[in-house]
Amino acid sequence: QVQLVESGGGLVQSGGSLRLSCAASGRTFSSYTMGWFRQAPGKEREFVAAITKSGGPPYYADSVKGRFTISRDNAKNTVDLQILSLKPEDTALYYCAATSQYYSTTYGTYDYWGQGTQVTVSS
């Protein structure tokens, strides 16, 4: 069992940056590939980024490549998402998730989810 708690969201202007963090409880954090998803109002939850249990290489949705960076610290049980050059279309509730699969961008394969942290980007 893994409990996930996200933090770091907020209201920022277009072009700004944020660093989202996800803290995991449980002693098996290093056994999971960790991912970030987001869901905008009226839209389906979509994959953003993920990093394998060993820490790399990470993979990203095409829409965020070059602006988002995912990283993890297995000693601290955390996974972060650095977001640069924010755009209004990045506005969404961002979720941290864990999967036992080695590689997955699919929502349904993730076993554990946090409650989400809101990112709002003003134009």
Side-chain angles (χ1 to χ4, degrees), residues 4-9 18-24 36 71 76-83 94-96 116-117:
L4 304 172
V5 179
E6 303 95 336
S7 62
L18 280 175
R19 188 175 185 90
L20 308 184
S21 187
C22 174
W36 285 93
S71 60
K76 296 181 178 179
N77 282 11
T78 58
V79 57
D80 291 350
L81 187 69
Q82 178 70 49
I83 309 174
Y94 282 71
Y95 296 91
C96 173
T117 185

Side-chain angles (χ1 to χ4, degrees), residues 10-82:
L11 173 64
V12 296
Q13 290 187 335
S14 181
S17 62
L18 280 175
R19 188 175 185 90
L20 308 184
S21 187
C22 174
S25 62
R27 292 176 290 180
T28 60
F29 175 76
S30 61
S31 300
Y32 294 92
T33 286
M34 300 300 297
W36 285 93
F37 288 74
R38 66 185 181 185
Q39 187 166 17
K43 295 187 177 181
E44 294 187 352
R45 195 169 299 189
E46 65 173 354
F47 170 78
V48 172
I51 188 166
T52 61
K53 57 191 73 175
S54 61
Y59 42 104
Y60 301 93
D62 288 342
S63 59
V64 306
K65 282 180 181 177
R67 297 190 299 119
F68 288 30
T69 302
I70 188 172
S71 60
R72 69 186 295 163
D73 186 332
N74 285 344
K76 296 181 178 179
N77 282 11
T78 58
V79 57
D80 291 350
L81 187 69
Q82 178 70 49

Side-chain angles (χ1 to χ4, degrees), residues 4 8 18 22 39 93 99 102-103 106 108 112 118 121:
L4 304 172
L18 280 175
C22 174
Q39 187 166 17
L93 189 60
T99 178
Y102 183 76
Y103 175 94
T106 307
Y112 303 102
Q118 179 68 40
V121 184

